[in-house]
Amino acid sequence: MSESEGLRTESLAHRVPDLAALELLLAVARLGSLGAAAREVGITQPAASSRIRSMERQLGVALVDRSPRGSRLTDAGALVTDWARRVVEAAAAFDAGARALRDRRDSRLRVAASMTIAEYLLPGWLLALHAERPDTAVSLLAGNSAKVAELLLAGEADLGFVEGLTVPTGLDSTVIARDRLIVVTAPAHPWARRRRPLTAAELAATPLILRERGSGTRQVLDAALGGLARPLIELSSTTAVKASAVSGAGPSVLSELAVGEELGMRRLVSIPVEGVSLRRDLRAVWPTGHRPTGPARELLSLTRG
């Protein structure tokens, strides 16, 4: 078995350091001392040294240079620390969400959101809401913009978030953010080597990896181009579309919210397009005449912070 095949079969938990190790590394980076970091996380200095060495063996790179003057991150350690910070922040958001689901004592909030908002914006808003209302139990239903409208009108959600061009009949709305769709491909795709922008006509005529009909992304793209070629692949989540594009399956159009990390690491390349605007409004929505109250109103206020 090759090394790459072994990595595919080995559990992610065996390849990625646990949260305790990542939190220790962040403390070393912040305090510049392994001993001070050990005290902060509540372990002995020998235990902290052992934990750092174990993480270095697991990742196969040196993370910390130790000297009598203190501890300093290596170049690799600084990079791993940036990744660790995002993991710990995501874990904090996960923990807040899990606690919100458990704590159904005083109130509840049912949120419906289209996929891009659910995946890339809502976790931070829900984390902030939990800090202010720890007894509010939040349930999240994710789907396309048409599904969000259906849930609100059926009384199965208290507040919704959509990405489409128009507000569905029967709903009131407010703009909470603005977004831009961008054309992306894997670096090996011929478009990545173009010296001039795509035209709107070229984009419209090209089979793309797309979200399903009813999604806000699909609606905006279809309206902006005046029609689309038959999709190369049609998928029901932003994450799946992005993964397909990264794999080299073909070009796609995604929210810039969804692809920042992939663009930064050159797993995807942004392709300029001329002659068309792919900007869109992100909206909070609720049934007409039923302005959000209680935790729904508080969540709505947090989206504007």
Side-chain angles (χ1 to χ4, degrees):
M1 179 184 296
S2 69
E3 182 178 351
S4 61
E5 289 172 332
L7 287 175
R8 285 196 297 270
T9 58
E10 186 182 24
S11 166
L12 185 64
H14 291 92
R15 304 199 308 271
V16 177
D18 62 28
L19 284 173
L22 297 180
E23 288 178 326
L24 175 62
L25 182 63
L26 291 174
V28 172
R30 186 172 63 257
L31 301 172
S33 163
L34 190 60
R39 289 191 295 273
E40 180 172 283
V41 302
I43 60 175
T44 65
Q45 184 165 339
S49 295
S50 176
R51 190 171 291 178
I52 292 292
R53 285 194 298 270
S54 176
M55 184 162 41
E56 289 174 333
R57 287 193 299 270
Q58 187 177 24
L59 297 176
V61 294
L63 301 174
V64 178
D65 283 332
R66 306 162 185 80
S67 73
R69 295 186 300 275
S71 299
R72 182 181 65 82
L73 296 179
T74 64
D75 289 344
L79 183 59
V80 170
T81 297
D82 285 340
W83 298 338
R85 186 172 293 108
R86 293 199 294 270
V87 171
V88 171
E89 288 172 352
F94 178 93
D95 178 61
R99 280 183 288 149
L101 291 173
R102 290 194 302 267
D103 296 340
R104 296 178 177 274
R105 291 173 296 189
D106 301 324
S107 61
R108 67 172 186 169
L109 174 62
R110 300 168 301 167
V111 181
S114 53
M115 298 300 295
T116 299
I117 296 174
E119 292 179 87
Y120 299 101
L121 292 176
L122 258 175
W125 297 338
L126 293 181
L127 181 61
L129 179 67
H130 180 78
E132 297 189 13
R133 297 185 69 112
D135 294 333
T136 297
V138 180
S139 61
L140 171 61
L141 297 168
N144 61 37
S145 295
K147 181 63 175 178
V148 171
E150 177 185 320
L151 291 167
L152 286 166
L153 293 173
E156 297 176 15
D158 306 305
L159 184 64
F161 297 93
V162 298
E163 309 156 19
L165 286 172
T166 60
V167 179
T169 302
L171 300 181
D172 289 337
S173 74
T174 186
V175 174
I176 56 167
R178 288 181 169 82
D179 185 27
R180 184 170 66 98
L181 300 180
I182 57 177
V183 179
V184 293
T185 70
H189 191 277
W191 283 1
R193 298 187 291 275
R194 287 176 63 105
R195 295 187 177 182
R196 56 184 177 80
L198 285 172
T199 66
E202 285 177 300
L203 183 59
T206 301
L208 302 170
I209 304 169
L210 293 174
R211 286 283 310 280
E212 79 287 359
R213 291 186 181 278
S215 72
T217 299
R218 181 82 168 260
Q219 291 173 9
V220 171
L221 185 61
D222 196 1
L225 297 177
L228 296 168
R230 182 176 180 179
L232 178 65
I233 308 172
E234 193 172 71
L235 298 166
S236 60
S237 79
T238 301
T239 298
V241 172
K242 181 168 62 172
S244 294
V246 168
S247 75
S252 185
V253 180
L254 288 163
S255 164
E256 63 181 349
L257 294 170
V259 294
E261 182 175 343
E262 287 73 17
L263 292 174
M265 299 181 70
R266 290 288 296 178
R267 290 188 292 185
L268 287 174
V269 177
S270 176
I271 309 300
V273 183
E274 62 183 8
V276 64
S277 173
L278 296 177
R279 295 188 179 276
R280 62 179 179 175
D281 292 333
L282 306 182
R283 297 175 179 272
V285 290
W286 56 88
T288 298
H290 295 82
R291 185 79 183 176
T293 59
R297 180 178 61 189
E298 195 152 342
L299 177 60
L300 181 58
S301 71
L302 289 171
T303 67
R304 299 164 175 167

